Amino acid sequence: MTLKEFFEQNGEKPIEIQDDGTIKVLEEKGPWKPECEEKYYTIYGCGSVETFKWVDCLMDDLRKEMGNVFQTKAEANRALHRLKARKKFLDTGGHEGVERYFDLQPPTKPVWHIYPTGYGCLRTEKKSGVTAFDIWFESEDDVQKAIDSLTDDEKAALCWMGENE
C-alpha cells in the first residue's frame, strides 16, 4: 500500500514509519481523562477543589466537557486562581473580547494588556488590537489596579509556565 492509499483509507491520522517499513498509526493525544474508578479533582460551585472517582456518569462527562477535570489538586487550584484573577480583571475595569474595543474611537486605539513574563512577574504592554479571548484595559491606571487586586496565588497561577508543581 502506498502512503497516498493509506491516507485515502485512514484519513490524516498521525503515523510513524517503523524500521521494517510498516506504518504505525499513532494515538492522538487529547486532554487527560481518568480511567474508571481513578481519582480526579474538580472545582465545585462554591470555589472549593473536590476529589471524585471517575465512574463514567453524566456528571463526570459534564465536568470533562467544561474543562473541569484535573489530574492533580495543584492543577485544579491553579485553574481556580486563574478564574478568580479573570473576574478581578473584569471587576477592575477590564474588557473582554472585541465588542467593546470597536466602540472606541478610533477602533485601532492602543489598549493595555497584561502578560506573564515566565519569571513569576506580570508585565503590561500597550498595543493596538485585541482577540476574542483578550482581557484588555483602556488606561494604565486600570491595568495597575487589576494587577494590585491579585493575591500572590492568583499571580502565580497566571505566571505558571509548566514547570514542576
Side-chain angles (χ1 to χ4, degrees), residues 38-160:
E38 186 176 0
K39 175 175 66 173
Y40 71 92
Y41 299 87
T42 192
I43 301 169
Y44 228 53
C46 61
S48 62
V49 172
E50 302 292 333
T51 309
F52 288 91
K53 281 192 177 182
W54 187 271
V55 293
D56 223 5
C57 67
L58 177 62
M59 288 305 295
D60 289 341
D61 292 336
L62 291 173
R63 289 182 186 119
K64 179 82 172 114
E65 187 177 310
M66 290 178 50
N68 195 10
V69 171
F70 303 95
Q71 196 167 7
T72 68
K73 189 171 188 174
E75 285 178 274
N77 277 318
R78 192 168 34 258
L80 175 61
H81 290 304
R82 286 181 177 167
L83 287 171
K84 288 179 178 180
R86 180 185 173 281
K87 181 176 182 332
K88 286 182 179 180
F89 285 175
L90 295 172
D91 288 349
T92 56
H95 304 282
E96 184 174 32
V98 295
E99 287 179 20
R100 173 77 176 97
Y101 181 71
F102 287 110
D103 291 342
L104 297 175
Q105 295 299 323
T108 56
K109 175 184 172 186
V111 294
W112 290 91
H113 298 260
I114 301 172
Y115 299 102
T117 64
Y119 302 105
C121 300
L122 296 171
R123 70 177 173 87
T124 62
E125 184 177 313
K126 189 175 185 179
K127 65 179 191 174
S128 295
V130 298
T131 70
F133 301 105
D134 278 349
I135 294 178
W136 51 273
F137 301 84
E138 292 183 51
S139 74
E140 189 173 13
D141 287 341
D142 286 344
V143 79
Q144 193 57 55
K145 276 190 252 177
I147 291 172
D148 292 344
S149 75
L150 299 176
T151 66
D152 289 343
D153 286 339
E154 291 161 351
K155 286 179 188 172
L158 291 174
C159 295
W160 188 79

